[in-house]
């Protein structure tokens, strides 16, 4: 079993910054892709950013230039630095990890519980 624990959410004024962290623990051989998704009230969950084990990143158009995703492979941790926050960035931010639990085996998809980010205008 693998657990993902997020931290760093909170309330911030528009234009402010927050840094989210997500640490994975448990039966981990390697983590291929880690990422952040968000869900606003009444809306579907959407991708924010992903990062591969090798460091290749992908961002939603709405956050490009403002958010930066990074990871520490030794700590199985992914970060999301969010700058110039806007009210429309408000939502529950959920960590995702695609985990291989054995040297030879399938990839499993895991989700964290989520952390609330609220940006006031």
């Amino acid at each position: 079993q693998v657990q993902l624990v997020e931290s760093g959410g909170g309330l911030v004024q528009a234009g402010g910054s927050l840094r989210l962290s997500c640490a994975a623990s448990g039966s981990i051989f390697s983590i291929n892709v880690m990422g952040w998704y968000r869900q606003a009230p009444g809306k579907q969950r959407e991708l924010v950013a992903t990062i591969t084990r090798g460091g290749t990143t992908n961002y939603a158009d709405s956050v490009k230039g403002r958010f930066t995703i990074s990871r520490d492979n030794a700590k199985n941790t992914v970060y999301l630095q969010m700058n110039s926050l806007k009210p429309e960035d408000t939502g529950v931010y959920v960590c995702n990890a695609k985990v291989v639990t054995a040297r030879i085996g399938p990839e499993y998809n895991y989700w964290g519980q989520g952390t609330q980010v609220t940006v006031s205008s």
Side-chain angles (χ1 to χ4, degrees):
Q1 192 62 286
V2 173
Q3 297 79 39
L4 302 181
V5 178
E6 300 110 329
S7 61
L11 173 64
V12 65
Q13 289 188 329
S17 299
L18 283 174
R19 187 180 191 233
L20 306 182
S21 300
C22 171
S25 62
S27 300
I28 299 170
F29 178 77
S30 68
I31 305 178
N32 293 330
V33 181
M34 302 187 81
W36 291 94
Y37 292 72
R38 68 185 179 192
Q39 187 163 14
K43 294 187 177 181
Q44 288 188 328
R45 182 176 292 183
E46 63 176 358
L47 179 144
V48 176
T50 61
I51 184 168
T52 68
R53 185 172 181 81
T56 299
T57 58
N58 179 52
Y59 295 93
D61 287 342
S62 59
V63 307
K64 284 180 181 177
R66 300 187 298 122
F67 292 10
T68 301
I69 190 170
S70 61
R71 66 187 280 178
D72 184 331
N73 291 331
K75 296 181 179 179
N76 290 326
T77 299
V78 63
Y79 307 95
L80 185 68
Q81 178 66 43
M82 304 186 292
N83 298 328
S84 302
L85 282 160
K86 304 176 181 179
E88 51 264 44
D89 293 319
T90 294
V92 176
Y93 283 67
V94 184
C95 176
N96 174 262
K98 302 189 187 317
V99 181
V100 177
T101 59
R103 182 173 175 273
I104 299 176
E107 180 182 89
Y108 296 95
N109 201 31
Y110 288 96
W111 295 92
Q113 293 295 313
T115 184
Q116 178 70 44
V117 171
T118 303
V119 184
S120 63
S121 57

